[in-house]
Amino acid sequence: MSLLASPFQDWNPFLFIILAGAIPTQIWRWMGAVFSARLAEDSEILLWVKAVATALVSALIANLVVFPSGALADVPLVVRLSALGVGFATYLIWRGHIIWGILAGEAVLLAGAIFFSQILKAQSIAAAI
């Protein structure tokens, strides 16, 4: 009986993800935990790491807002930018409680998506008549 014909055939992609993805990253996590005890929180290297991590997250968010894929691509840019602005403003108003910023941004995004989908639906119905 070959390995592919085994009852665990459906598990092969998940096993590959664990072996090729999770295990190698765990090595770096453990090394970080061991070596981070020796670093001061306000050291230059940690400030640099925090700045790079923040820049990467900002770039990812900007990429998702400006060049979205999937269903988000159907939402107009003005709605995506408004949701981003409202979410950030809410985050600042609530003094760093990120959950309120996320919820406010999501509410604006959903409301704008629903609003513009209704407009497009009405336009397509009017064009069909």
Side-chain angles (χ1 to χ4, degrees), residues 81-93:
L81 291 173
S82 298
L84 181 68
V86 167
F88 183 65
T90 305
Y91 167 78
L92 292 177
I93 290 169

Side-chain angles (χ1 to χ4, degrees), residues 83 87 101-111:
I102 291 171
L103 291 174
E106 188 67 27
V108 170
L109 186 64
L110 287 173

Side-chain angles (χ1 to χ4, degrees), residues 33-104:
V34 168
F35 292 121
S36 67
R38 299 181 197 169
L39 294 174
E41 275 189 46
D42 57 347
S43 68
E44 289 293 322
I45 189 73
L46 284 183
L47 292 175
W48 179 79
V49 168
K50 187 188 292 187
V52 170
T54 303
L56 287 171
V57 170
S58 300
L60 177 65
I61 291 170
N63 192 25
L64 287 172
V65 170
V66 178
F67 304 112
S69 62
L72 191 58
D74 295 334
V75 179
L77 178 63
V78 68
V79 174
R80 298 189 307 257
L81 291 173
S82 298
L84 181 68
V86 167
F88 183 65
T90 305
Y91 167 78
L92 292 177
I93 290 169
W94 283 91
R95 298 186 182 148
H97 288 96
I98 196 165
I99 189 68
W100 297 116
I102 291 171
L103 291 174

Side-chain angles (χ1 to χ4, degrees), residues 22 95 118 129:
R95 298 186 182 148
Q118 294 299 322
I129 295 178

Side-chain angles (χ1 to χ4, degrees), residues 107-128:
V108 170
L109 186 64
L110 287 173
I114 291 169
F115 176 74
F116 278 101
S117 70
Q118 294 299 322
I119 289 177
L120 290 174
K121 186 189 297 184
Q123 287 176 348
S124 66
I125 291 172

